[in-house]
Amino acid sequence: MSDAIQYEKHGDIAILAANNPPVNALGKAVRDGLLEGIARAEQDGVKAVLIYGEGRTYFAGADIKEFGKTPLEPYLPDVCTRIESSPLIVVSAMHGTALGGGLEIALGSHYRIAVPSARMGLPEVLIGVMPGAGGTQRLPRLIGAEKSIEVITSGRQIGAKEALELGIIDRIAEGNPRQIGLAYARELIDQGAPRRAVSEMPGPEPIDFDAAYEATLQKGRGQISPATAVRGVQAAAELPFDEGMKRERELFTYLMNTDQRAGLIHAFFSERAVGKLPELEGVEPRPLSAIGVIGGGTMGAGIATAALLNGLSVTMLEMSPEAAEAAKGRISGNLSGALKRGKISQAEFEEMTEKALSLTTSYDDLGQVDLVIEAVFEEMSVKKEVFTKLDAVCKPGAVLATNTSYLNVDEIAAVTSRPEDVIGLHFFSPAHVMKLLEVVVADKTAPDVVATGFALGKQLKKISVRAGVCDGFIGNRILATYRTAADHMILDGATPFQIDEALEEFGFAMGPYAVSDLAGLDIGWAVRKSKRAEGLHPKARDVEFADRLCEQGHFGQKTGKGYYDYAAGPRSRVPNPDVPGLIEAERAAKGITPHEFTKEEIVRRYMAAMVNEAAKVVGEGIARRPLDVDMTLLFGYGFPRYHGGPLKWADLQGLPELLADIKRYAEEDDYFWQPAPLLEQLVAEGRTFDDLNKEAA
Ligand code: 3H9
C-alpha cells in the first residue's frame, strides 16, 4: 500500500486515512492509495469504508505541483468514479478544508459528514482551471444549476452549516473526523442504509446558461476559467452523466493548457514563497505588541487602523492636540467601516478606539513602543528630524521604520546612532485595505529587524516583499517607467482614453490615466517640477500635457475633472473633451507627427517598459527574485492576477521576442529604451525569469 493512504480494518469498517502533509493534496501516491484501499476493503469483506484526512485537513485538492506536467495515472475523475461504484458504503468525514478534488472525492462517496469547523468548496477557477473530477456534474445534482454556478464560479469556501443546508453534506458532528466518521458508518451499517451514488441522481433543471455564461465572463474581467466552468454545469443539465464527465474533461483540459492557468498557479505559489527568504532562516523577529505611528494623515491613520485590527496597541503622535484628534477621527472612521461590515464587534471597536489607541504630541511617549513607523511629509529634512528625535527617546532594540515611498533609507538611518534598527516599511494607501508591504532593507539593517518587518506584515495580513534601497524601491520605480512609456505613446499619437481602454482590456481594473485621476494629478505635477528643477537628462523627453490640466486646477476626481470629467460621480467617467486639444498643442510645439496606435501596440509597449525596468530591478538586486516583482505589481498596482505578474507574463510571451521589441523601440529613443542587462543575459542563455525563481528556491 502507498504510505500516503493508511489502511486499517476496524471490524466491518475499512479505514482509509490520508497522510500526505501539509494539506493531503491528491498527488499520485494518494490516488494510488485510494484505489488500492478501496480494492482491499472489498476483498477484506467489510461493509463500509471511511475516508478521512490525518493532520490539519481532509484533501485540500489535486496536487497543484503536478499541473502543467504530463498527467499521471490514475486520474482523479477515475478515482472518484471507482469510489462511487464500490458496492460498499463509502463515508467521507471532513475537517479543515475539503477543496477542489478533495470535495470531489467526498461527492464520489455515498455519505458525507463534517465537523462544525470544516470548510469546503470548488476553488479551481481561482487557479485558472475548473472542477475536473466530476465537481461540475455531481454538485448540480445535489444543489441545482444556479447555486452550483454561484459556488463554482466564485470559488468560495462554504462552512459546514451552509453545506448542510444546501445538501452538500448529510450531517455535522462534533469530534475528530475519525471518530465521527466511524460512528456514522456504524450507524449506516446498523440501519442497513443503501449505497447512494450522486451520479445516479437526475441532472439539474436547466437555466438560461448562455446568460449565466455571459454574466460570468463579464464579471471575470478577462479571466476565462469561471465562465468556462458554467459550460460544465450546463453539461450536467443537458447530458447523461458519463457524457457530462467527458465534456467536463474537455473543458478542464482546455483551461489547463492556457497561459491564464500558468499565471494563476504562479501567483498561488509566489504568494507563499515571497515571505520565505534564506537570510531569514532561523532568525527570530523582535517582540512586537505596541507600536508608534508618527503622522495621522490618510497613510498614518491607515497603518494605525491595520495595526489595531490585528491586535497591536498604537500610540499615535501628531503635531498638536487638534491634529491628534483629527487622526483619531480618521482611524475611528476606518474602524467603523470594519464594524459595519461585521468584521469587528461593537465591543472590539470600543476596545480599539478607547484602549488600544492612545494619542500624544510628545516623542517621550514613544519611549516604550517596540516599533515606530513614521508617515510624515515626504521630505528628507523632515524625515531626518523625526529620526533624530526617535533615536533620542526610543528604547534600545526598538525598530525604527520609515514609510517613505522613495527616499534613501540609508541616509535616514545615518542620522541615528543605531542604523541597524532602521528599516523602510512602505505601505500602500489605504494602508488598512491594500495588501502590499515593501520591506525596504538598508545597508546596515540587522537581520532580526528585517524578520520583524516580515513578522509585522504577517500579523497585518499583508503580502510582504523584500526590497533594496533605490529611488522608488521595487514598485514605484517600475511604475515611473511604464507610466512614462504611456506618456510617450500619447505624445506620439495615442490618447489617454485609448491607453486606458487597452489596459483595462488587458485586465487592469483601471487604466493609468484613470488611476492618475484617482490619485490626484497634483502628485505627478510636484514630481515633474522637482525633476525639472534637478535638471532632466538632455535625451529625456519631457511631457507637459498633464501640467496644463493642473494649471487649470484640474487634479482629477477630487476636483471633478482631470483626464476625465466626473460631473456625474466618480464611477461615471466621461473623457474630458479639452484633453485632446492640450495634447495636440504639445505635439505641435514639439514638432511631433502623430501616428495611430493599435491596442496591441499599446499593451506591448507598456508591458515592455514594465518588464525591462523590472529586469533591471532584479538584475541590480533591488528585488531578490523575479517573483518578488510579480507579487509587488499584483498586490500593490492592480496587475491582473491571471497574467501572474509582469515577469511571468514576459516568460509566457517569450523573452527573445520581447527583447527584440525593446531594441526596435530603442531605434526611436535609445535613452528611454535601454535593454536590461539581465534580460539580454537570459535571452543569450535561453533561460527564463522563472528559472531564476527556481534557482533561488
Ligand atoms: C483541483 O483540485 C482540480 C480538480 O478539480 C481536478 C483534477 C483533475 N497542491 O496555503 P498554505 C501547499 S485544483 C499542492 O500556506 P493555509 C502550499 O503551497 C486544486 N500544494 O496553508 C504550502 O506549501 P509550502 C483545488 C498545496 O493553511 C502548504 O501547502 N484546491 C496545495 O493558509 C500550506 O498551504 C485548491 O485550489 C495543493 N492543492 O491554507 C486549494 N494546497 O508550505 C489550494 C496547498 O511549501 N490551497 N499547498 O509553502 C489553499 O487554498 C490553501 O493552501 C489551503 C490551506 C486553504 C488548503
Short mmCIF file of all heavy atoms in Angstrom, two decimals, residues 22-23 25-26 56-57 60-65 67 75-77 97 99-102 104 122-124 127 129-133 157 249 252 256 268-269 272-273 276, ligand 1:
data_model
loop_
_atom_site.label_atom_id
_atom_site.label_comp_id
_atom_site.label_asym_id
_atom_site.label_seq_id
_atom_site.Cartn_x
_atom_site.Cartn_y
_atom_site.Cartn_z
N PRO A 22 1.47 18.85 3.78
CA PRO A 22 0.70 19.51 4.83
C PRO A 22 -0.81 19.52 4.60
O PRO A 22 -1.55 19.71 5.55
CB PRO A 22 1.24 20.95 4.80
CG PRO A 22 1.64 21.17 3.37
CD PRO A 22 2.13 19.83 2.88
N VAL A 23 -1.28 19.33 3.36
CA VAL A 23 -2.72 19.56 3.15
C VAL A 23 -3.41 18.35 2.49
O VAL A 23 -4.51 18.46 1.97
CB VAL A 23 -2.99 20.85 2.31
CG1 VAL A 23 -2.51 22.09 3.06
CG2 VAL A 23 -2.37 20.78 0.93
N ALA A 25 -2.85 16.93 -0.27
CA ALA A 25 -3.13 17.13 -1.70
C ALA A 25 -3.15 15.76 -2.38
O ALA A 25 -2.44 14.83 -1.99
CB ALA A 25 -2.05 18.01 -2.33
N LEU A 26 -4.00 15.67 -3.41
CA LEU A 26 -4.27 14.37 -4.05
C LEU A 26 -3.23 14.07 -5.13
O LEU A 26 -3.56 13.93 -6.32
CB LEU A 26 -5.68 14.38 -4.64
CG LEU A 26 -6.79 14.27 -3.58
CD1 LEU A 26 -8.04 15.02 -4.04
CD2 LEU A 26 -7.12 12.82 -3.30
N ARG A 56 -4.08 18.36 9.44
CA ARG A 56 -4.92 19.54 9.59
C ARG A 56 -6.15 19.56 8.69
O ARG A 56 -7.01 20.41 8.88
CB ARG A 56 -4.11 20.81 9.37
CG ARG A 56 -3.50 20.95 8.00
CD ARG A 56 -2.33 21.91 8.05
NE ARG A 56 -2.55 23.06 7.19
CZ ARG A 56 -1.56 23.85 6.77
NH1 ARG A 56 -0.33 23.62 7.15
NH2 ARG A 56 -1.83 24.87 6.00
N THR A 57 -6.22 18.63 7.73
CA THR A 57 -7.35 18.76 6.80
C THR A 57 -7.67 17.46 6.05
O THR A 57 -6.84 16.57 5.91
CB THR A 57 -7.05 19.89 5.77
OG1 THR A 57 -8.18 20.07 4.94
CG2 THR A 57 -5.85 19.58 4.89
N ALA A 60 -7.13 18.83 0.41
CA ALA A 60 -7.36 20.22 0.01
C ALA A 60 -7.37 20.39 -1.50
O ALA A 60 -7.35 21.50 -2.00
CB ALA A 60 -6.32 21.13 0.65
N GLY A 61 -7.37 19.28 -2.23
CA GLY A 61 -7.48 19.39 -3.68
C GLY A 61 -6.44 18.56 -4.40
O GLY A 61 -5.62 17.88 -3.77
N ALA A 62 -6.50 18.62 -5.73
CA ALA A 62 -5.48 17.96 -6.56
C ALA A 62 -4.13 18.57 -6.19
O ALA A 62 -4.07 19.67 -5.65
CB ALA A 62 -5.79 18.21 -8.03
N ASP A 63 -3.06 17.87 -6.48
CA ASP A 63 -1.73 18.41 -6.20
C ASP A 63 -1.36 19.40 -7.31
O ASP A 63 -1.06 19.01 -8.43
CB ASP A 63 -0.70 17.28 -6.13
CG ASP A 63 0.66 17.80 -5.67
OD1 ASP A 63 0.87 19.03 -5.71
OD2 ASP A 63 1.48 16.98 -5.27
N ILE A 64 -1.40 20.67 -6.96
CA ILE A 64 -1.21 21.71 -7.97
C ILE A 64 0.20 21.66 -8.56
O ILE A 64 0.44 22.12 -9.67
CB ILE A 64 -1.49 23.11 -7.39
CG1 ILE A 64 -2.82 23.14 -6.64
CG2 ILE A 64 -1.54 24.16 -8.46
CD1 ILE A 64 -3.08 24.44 -5.91
N LYS A 65 1.13 21.09 -7.80
CA LYS A 65 2.52 21.00 -8.32
C LYS A 65 2.58 20.09 -9.55
O LYS A 65 3.52 20.17 -10.33
CB LYS A 65 3.45 20.48 -7.23
CG LYS A 65 3.58 21.44 -6.07
CD LYS A 65 4.78 21.12 -5.20
CE LYS A 65 4.91 22.11 -4.07
NZ LYS A 65 4.17 21.74 -2.88
N PHE A 67 0.41 20.17 -11.95
CA PHE A 67 -0.22 20.85 -13.08
C PHE A 67 0.84 21.33 -14.07
O PHE A 67 1.91 21.79 -13.69
CB PHE A 67 -1.05 22.06 -12.62
CG PHE A 67 -2.36 21.70 -11.99
CD1 PHE A 67 -2.61 20.41 -11.55
CD2 PHE A 67 -3.36 22.65 -11.81
CE1 PHE A 67 -3.81 20.06 -10.95
CE2 PHE A 67 -4.57 22.33 -11.23
CZ PHE A 67 -4.79 21.03 -10.79
N TYR A 75 -6.02 8.78 -12.93
CA TYR A 75 -6.56 10.14 -12.98
C TYR A 75 -7.63 10.30 -11.89
O TYR A 75 -8.37 9.36 -11.57
CB TYR A 75 -7.16 10.43 -14.35
CG TYR A 75 -6.17 10.22 -15.49
CD1 TYR A 75 -6.53 9.52 -16.63
CD2 TYR A 75 -4.87 10.72 -15.39
CE1 TYR A 75 -5.62 9.32 -17.66
CE2 TYR A 75 -3.95 10.53 -16.42
CZ TYR A 75 -4.32 9.82 -17.55
OH TYR A 75 -3.42 9.63 -18.54
N LEU A 76 -7.72 11.53 -11.39
CA LEU A 76 -8.63 11.79 -10.27
C LEU A 76 -10.11 11.48 -10.59
O LEU A 76 -10.81 10.90 -9.75
CB LEU A 76 -8.46 13.24 -9.79
CG LEU A 76 -9.01 13.56 -8.42
CD1 LEU A 76 -8.49 12.61 -7.34
CD2 LEU A 76 -8.68 15.00 -8.03
N PRO A 77 -10.62 11.84 -11.78
CA PRO A 77 -12.03 11.51 -12.05
C PRO A 77 -12.28 10.00 -11.96
O PRO A 77 -13.33 9.57 -11.47
CB PRO A 77 -12.26 12.00 -13.48
CG PRO A 77 -11.09 12.83 -13.85
CD PRO A 77 -9.98 12.59 -12.88
N THR A 97 -10.14 21.92 5.35
CA THR A 97 -10.67 22.47 4.10
C THR A 97 -10.76 21.37 3.04
O THR A 97 -9.72 20.90 2.56
CB THR A 97 -9.77 23.61 3.58
OG1 THR A 97 -8.41 23.21 3.71
CG2 THR A 97 -9.99 24.90 4.34
N LEU A 99 -11.34 20.87 -0.41
CA LEU A 99 -11.42 21.77 -1.56
C LEU A 99 -11.15 21.05 -2.87
O LEU A 99 -10.39 20.07 -2.91
CB LEU A 99 -10.39 22.90 -1.40
CG LEU A 99 -10.55 23.80 -0.17
CD1 LEU A 99 -9.40 24.80 -0.08
CD2 LEU A 99 -11.89 24.53 -0.20
N GLY A 100 -11.73 21.55 -3.94
CA GLY A 100 -11.44 21.06 -5.28
C GLY A 100 -11.59 19.55 -5.36
O GLY A 100 -12.63 18.98 -4.98
N GLY A 101 -10.53 18.89 -5.84
CA GLY A 101 -10.54 17.44 -5.95
C GLY A 101 -10.90 16.77 -4.62
O GLY A 101 -11.45 15.66 -4.61
N GLY A 102 -10.61 17.45 -3.52
CA GLY A 102 -10.96 16.91 -2.20
C GLY A 102 -12.47 16.79 -2.07
O GLY A 102 -13.02 15.72 -1.74
N GLU A 104 -14.47 16.74 -4.44
CA GLU A 104 -14.93 15.81 -5.48
C GLU A 104 -14.83 14.35 -5.00
O GLU A 104 -15.69 13.53 -5.32
CB GLU A 104 -14.15 16.03 -6.78
CG GLU A 104 -14.55 17.36 -7.44
CD GLU A 104 -13.67 17.77 -8.61
OE1 GLU A 104 -12.43 17.80 -8.42
OE2 GLU A 104 -14.21 18.04 -9.69
N LEU A 122 -15.20 24.48 -4.27
CA LEU A 122 -14.55 24.10 -5.53
C LEU A 122 -13.82 25.35 -6.04
O LEU A 122 -14.38 26.10 -6.85
CB LEU A 122 -15.60 23.59 -6.53
CG LEU A 122 -16.28 22.27 -6.12
CD1 LEU A 122 -17.47 21.95 -7.04
CD2 LEU A 122 -15.30 21.10 -6.13
N PRO A 123 -12.61 25.60 -5.53
CA PRO A 123 -11.91 26.87 -5.86
C PRO A 123 -11.07 26.80 -7.13
O PRO A 123 -10.25 27.68 -7.37
CB PRO A 123 -11.00 27.07 -4.64
CG PRO A 123 -10.64 25.68 -4.23
CD PRO A 123 -11.83 24.79 -4.56
N GLU A 124 -11.27 25.78 -7.95
CA GLU A 124 -10.38 25.58 -9.11
C GLU A 124 -10.30 26.81 -10.02
O GLU A 124 -9.24 27.10 -10.58
CB GLU A 124 -10.87 24.38 -9.94
CG GLU A 124 -10.61 23.02 -9.31
CD GLU A 124 -11.75 22.55 -8.40
OE1 GLU A 124 -12.56 23.39 -7.95
OE2 GLU A 124 -11.82 21.33 -8.16
N ILE A 127 -7.46 29.20 -9.63
CA ILE A 127 -6.12 28.89 -10.15
C ILE A 127 -6.19 28.59 -11.65
O ILE A 127 -5.34 27.91 -12.20
CB ILE A 127 -5.44 27.75 -9.35
CG1 ILE A 127 -6.36 26.54 -9.20
CG2 ILE A 127 -4.98 28.24 -7.99
CD1 ILE A 127 -5.65 25.30 -8.68
N VAL A 129 -8.30 26.88 -13.58
CA VAL A 129 -8.93 25.69 -14.16
C VAL A 129 -10.39 25.65 -13.69
O VAL A 129 -10.99 26.69 -13.40
CB VAL A 129 -8.17 24.38 -13.82
CG1 VAL A 129 -6.86 24.33 -14.58
CG2 VAL A 129 -7.96 24.21 -12.33
N MET A 130 -10.99 24.48 -13.67
CA MET A 130 -12.35 24.32 -13.16
C MET A 130 -12.41 22.91 -12.57
O MET A 130 -11.48 22.12 -12.78
CB MET A 130 -13.37 24.48 -14.28
CG MET A 130 -13.16 23.51 -15.44
SD MET A 130 -14.37 23.74 -16.74
CE MET A 130 -15.54 22.42 -16.34
N PRO A 131 -13.45 22.60 -11.83
CA PRO A 131 -13.51 21.25 -11.27
C PRO A 131 -13.36 20.24 -12.41
O PRO A 131 -14.01 20.36 -13.44
CB PRO A 131 -14.90 21.19 -10.64
CG PRO A 131 -15.23 22.62 -10.33
CD PRO A 131 -14.61 23.41 -11.45
N GLY A 132 -12.50 19.25 -12.21
CA GLY A 132 -12.21 18.33 -13.30
C GLY A 132 -12.37 16.87 -12.89
O GLY A 132 -11.98 15.98 -13.62
N ALA A 133 -12.91 16.65 -11.71
CA ALA A 133 -13.10 15.27 -11.27
C ALA A 133 -14.56 15.05 -10.88
O ALA A 133 -14.89 14.47 -9.85
CB ALA A 133 -12.16 14.94 -10.11
N GLN A 157 -15.33 29.42 -0.21
CA GLN A 157 -15.40 28.32 0.76
C GLN A 157 -16.71 28.39 1.52
O GLN A 157 -17.12 29.45 1.98
CB GLN A 157 -14.24 28.40 1.75
CG GLN A 157 -12.91 28.05 1.11
CD GLN A 157 -11.76 28.05 2.12
OE1 GLN A 157 -11.97 28.06 3.33
NE2 GLN A 157 -10.55 28.03 1.61
N ARG A 249 -14.16 17.06 -18.79
CA ARG A 249 -12.74 16.77 -19.03
C ARG A 249 -12.18 17.64 -20.15
O ARG A 249 -11.07 18.18 -20.04
CB ARG A 249 -12.58 15.28 -19.35
CG ARG A 249 -11.16 14.80 -19.37
CD ARG A 249 -10.65 14.59 -17.96
NE ARG A 249 -9.21 14.45 -17.89
CZ ARG A 249 -8.49 14.68 -16.81
NH1 ARG A 249 -9.06 15.09 -15.69
NH2 ARG A 249 -7.19 14.53 -16.80
N PHE A 252 -11.87 21.19 -18.87
CA PHE A 252 -10.78 21.23 -17.88
C PHE A 252 -9.43 21.21 -18.60
O PHE A 252 -8.53 22.00 -18.30
CB PHE A 252 -10.91 20.02 -16.94
CG PHE A 252 -9.81 19.92 -15.92
CD1 PHE A 252 -9.86 20.65 -14.74
CD2 PHE A 252 -8.72 19.08 -16.14
CE1 PHE A 252 -8.84 20.55 -13.80
CE2 PHE A 252 -7.69 18.98 -15.20
CZ PHE A 252 -7.75 19.71 -14.03
N MET A 256 -6.48 23.93 -18.62
CA MET A 256 -5.16 23.52 -18.12
C MET A 256 -4.05 23.98 -19.05
O MET A 256 -2.94 24.26 -18.63
CB MET A 256 -5.16 21.98 -17.97
CG MET A 256 -3.90 21.43 -17.38
SD MET A 256 -3.66 22.04 -15.71
CE MET A 256 -4.21 20.64 -14.79
N PHE A 268 -0.26 31.76 -7.13
CA PHE A 268 -0.54 30.97 -5.92
C PHE A 268 0.75 30.62 -5.19
O PHE A 268 0.89 30.86 -3.99
CB PHE A 268 -1.31 29.69 -6.30
CG PHE A 268 -1.62 28.79 -5.13
CD1 PHE A 268 -2.76 28.97 -4.37
CD2 PHE A 268 -0.75 27.76 -4.77
CE1 PHE A 268 -3.04 28.14 -3.29
CE2 PHE A 268 -1.02 26.93 -3.68
CZ PHE A 268 -2.18 27.12 -2.94
N PHE A 269 1.71 30.07 -5.90
CA PHE A 269 2.94 29.63 -5.23
C PHE A 269 3.83 30.83 -4.85
O PHE A 269 4.47 30.81 -3.80
CB PHE A 269 3.71 28.61 -6.08
CG PHE A 269 3.07 27.25 -6.05
CD1 PHE A 269 2.57 26.66 -7.19
CD2 PHE A 269 2.93 26.55 -4.84
CE1 PHE A 269 1.95 25.40 -7.15
CE2 PHE A 269 2.33 25.30 -4.79
CZ PHE A 269 1.83 24.72 -5.95
N ARG A 272 3.04 32.49 -1.62
CA ARG A 272 3.52 31.75 -0.46
C ARG A 272 5.05 31.82 -0.35
O ARG A 272 5.60 31.75 0.73
CB ARG A 272 3.02 30.31 -0.52
CG ARG A 272 1.54 30.26 -0.17
CD ARG A 272 0.82 29.04 -0.65
NE ARG A 272 -0.57 29.08 -0.20
CZ ARG A 272 -1.54 29.80 -0.78
NH1 ARG A 272 -1.28 30.54 -1.85
NH2 ARG A 272 -2.76 29.80 -0.29
N ALA A 273 5.73 31.95 -1.50
CA ALA A 273 7.21 31.94 -1.48
C ALA A 273 7.78 33.31 -1.13
O ALA A 273 8.91 33.41 -0.66
CB ALA A 273 7.74 31.50 -2.85
N LYS A 276 9.42 33.87 2.12
CA LYS A 276 10.44 32.90 2.54
C LYS A 276 11.79 33.32 1.97
O LYS A 276 12.04 33.17 0.79
CB LYS A 276 10.08 31.50 2.02
CG LYS A 276 8.90 30.92 2.73
CD LYS A 276 8.59 29.52 2.26
CE LYS A 276 7.24 29.09 2.81
NZ LYS A 276 6.46 28.30 1.89
C1 3H9 B 1 -8.19 20.63 -8.24
O1 3H9 B 1 -8.47 20.07 -7.23
C2 3H9 B 1 -8.51 20.13 -9.62
C3 3H9 B 1 -9.54 19.03 -9.61
O2 3H9 B 1 -10.84 19.55 -9.66
C4 3H9 B 1 -9.40 18.16 -10.83
C5 3H9 B 1 -8.10 17.46 -11.04
C6 3H9 B 1 -8.15 16.52 -12.21
N1 3H9 B 1 -1.34 21.25 -4.10
O3 3H9 B 1 -1.78 27.91 1.80
P1 3H9 B 1 -0.91 27.33 2.82
C7 3H9 B 1 0.79 23.79 -0.17
S1 3H9 B 1 -7.29 22.07 -8.22
C8 3H9 B 1 -0.05 21.34 -3.74
O4 3H9 B 1 0.33 28.06 3.21
P2 3H9 B 1 -3.08 27.57 4.66
C9 3H9 B 1 1.15 25.25 -0.18
O5 3H9 B 1 1.88 25.57 -1.34
C10 3H9 B 1 -6.91 22.32 -6.50
N2 3H9 B 1 0.38 22.07 -2.67
O6 3H9 B 1 -1.71 26.97 4.14
C11 3H9 B 1 2.00 25.37 1.07
O7 3H9 B 1 3.29 24.85 0.77
P3 3H9 B 1 4.58 25.45 1.47
C12 3H9 B 1 -8.04 22.88 -5.75
C13 3H9 B 1 -0.55 22.72 -1.97
O8 3H9 B 1 -3.42 26.81 5.88
C14 3H9 B 1 1.32 24.38 2.02
O9 3H9 B 1 0.56 23.50 1.20
N3 3H9 B 1 -7.60 23.24 -4.42
C15 3H9 B 1 -1.90 22.69 -2.31
O10 3H9 B 1 -3.01 29.05 4.72
C16 3H9 B 1 0.39 25.04 3.02
O11 3H9 B 1 -0.52 25.88 2.31
C17 3H9 B 1 -7.12 24.45 -4.15
O12 3H9 B 1 -7.04 25.30 -5.00
C18 3H9 B 1 -2.29 21.91 -3.42
N4 3H9 B 1 -3.59 21.79 -3.80
O13 3H9 B 1 -4.17 27.25 3.55
C19 3H9 B 1 -6.69 24.69 -2.73
N5 3H9 B 1 -2.60 23.44 -1.44
O14 3H9 B 1 4.38 25.20 2.92
C20 3H9 B 1 -5.41 25.46 -2.70
C21 3H9 B 1 -1.69 23.94 -0.58
O15 3H9 B 1 5.70 24.72 0.83
N6 3H9 B 1 -4.92 25.62 -1.35
N7 3H9 B 1 -0.45 23.52 -0.89
O16 3H9 B 1 4.54 26.91 1.12
C22 3H9 B 1 -5.41 26.52 -0.48
O17 3H9 B 1 -6.36 27.23 -0.75
C23 3H9 B 1 -4.74 26.65 0.84
O18 3H9 B 1 -3.43 26.16 0.70
C24 3H9 B 1 -5.42 25.89 1.99
C25 3H9 B 1 -4.50 25.95 3.25
C26 3H9 B 1 -6.75 26.57 2.30
C27 3H9 B 1 -5.63 24.44 1.64
#
